[in-house]
Amino acid sequence: MSQVLKGKCALITGASSGIGEATARKLVAEGANVVLFARRAERIETLANELGEQALAVTGSVTSHADLLGASEQASNRFGGVDILINNAGIMPLSALAERRVEDWDRTIDVNIKGVLYAIDAVLPGMLARESGHVVNISSLAGLSVMPNTNVYACSKFAVRAISDGLRMESDGKVRVTTIYPGAVQTELAETIPESDLKRHLQDMFKGEAMSPAAIADAIFYALSQPPSVGVNDITISPPGMG
């Protein structure tokens, strides 16, 4: 068990599966308390029951500023405040711009960009008041390099990088900020791609070549477990040969 994380409270968005669920399990095992935030109430309630008194399930959407403010308030009431934010919720409805999937573009911006900002806003005042906190934003290799059909998704993940870098500078050392850039991970992310040959190809890749969500949880734990004098700014993690 990590003495650095013992008793700390982590708010995890997208906690119902994949990286969010794996991170919740890892942090509880290391002594942290977790607030599981996601839309699928049954999943996070089942996970919270399994994890015990160190876990609290809060149902909501990252597209709702009010939902995230409420989650932060519940975290304060139960655990005394949010020490760690894991901005994990995201979607990946890939398509070429010529397909004109404007509704998908709007959803990507709402979840992947505005959701990150809303979550930060919900916890940042408390972190700054305590002069202590850690924000971990999950970007993607697509946040470092654009490929065909990734235009809007990549834009959203480049934005996560910009938000992280800006917050790190603005908080003047009071809040540590880590950005994780994963390659393919065995999650439900490919399910958000519109039906196409691209979706089927990526689903096959995610099942075969992709990393376990636990690998990303371990990377997150590494960043969180460093002493206060050490800031892990960026971690790129991918299957061998991808990057």
Side-chain angles (χ1 to χ4, degrees):
M1 180 179 295
S2 169
Q3 293 303 310
V4 176
L5 296 187
K6 187 176 181 181
K8 299 280 188 179
C9 172
L11 170 60
I12 305 172
T13 69
S16 61
S17 65
I19 294 170
E21 178 184 350
T23 301
R25 293 182 183 280
K26 178 69 174 179
L27 297 189
V28 166
E30 296 294 343
N33 301 310
V34 295
V35 177
L36 310 170
F37 183 87
R39 293 177 296 109
R40 295 180 288 189
E42 184 176 350
R43 286 202 182 188
I44 55 173
E45 287 168 3
T46 298
L47 179 59
N49 288 335
E50 180 182 342
L51 296 177
E53 294 184 354
Q54 290 172 247
L56 170 68
V58 179
T59 305
S61 170
V62 294
T63 64
S64 169
H65 188 215
D67 284 356
L68 283 160
L69 289 173
S72 180
E73 182 177 2
Q74 290 191 55
S76 295
N77 293 338
R78 174 76 172 268
F79 299 121
V82 177
D83 304 291
I84 298 161
L85 170 64
I86 312 294
N87 251 325
N88 166 68
I91 60 173
M92 189 177 68
L94 302 180
S95 64
L97 289 178
E99 293 183 35
R100 303 179 69 190
R101 293 183 176 271
V102 177
E103 290 185 1
D104 284 348
W105 303 349
D106 288 341
R107 287 195 305 119
T108 301
I109 291 167
D110 286 345
V111 174
N112 293 4
I113 301 178
K114 292 167 70 175
V116 169
L117 290 168
Y118 289 166
I120 290 171
D121 181 70
V123 304
L124 187 59
M127 289 182 177
L128 292 176
R130 294 189 299 272
E131 298 191 353
S132 176
H134 200 145
V135 174
V136 178
N137 291 327
I138 307 299
S139 180
S140 166
L141 290 185
L144 300 171
S145 178
V146 183
M147 297 180 66
N149 302 305
T150 71
N151 289 277
V152 178
Y153 176 68
C155 169
S156 73
K157 292 304 185 177
F158 269 80
V160 171
R161 178 184 180 185
I163 292 166
S164 296
D165 291 349
L167 176 59
R168 190 179 299 112
M169 290 184 284
E170 290 176 6
S171 60
D172 195 28
K174 297 185 178 87
V175 177
R176 291 185 290 176
V177 183
T178 301
T179 314
I180 310 287
Y181 300 92
V185 183
Q186 295 168 4
T187 70
E188 299 174 1
L189 193 60
E191 301 298 325
T192 65
I193 303 172
E195 190 61 43
S196 63
D197 289 341
L198 174 64
K199 177 177 182 175
R200 289 185 285 274
H201 168 71
L202 288 177
Q203 283 176 323
D204 289 342
M205 183 182 72
F206 277 41
K207 290 176 184 176
E209 302 174 17
M211 300 174 289
S212 164
I216 312 304
D218 288 342
I220 292 170
F221 171 68
Y222 170 78
L224 294 176
S225 62
Q226 301 305 304
S229 59
V230 176
V232 179
N233 295 345
D234 299 286
I235 298 177
T236 302
I237 179 170
S238 65
M242 177 183 291

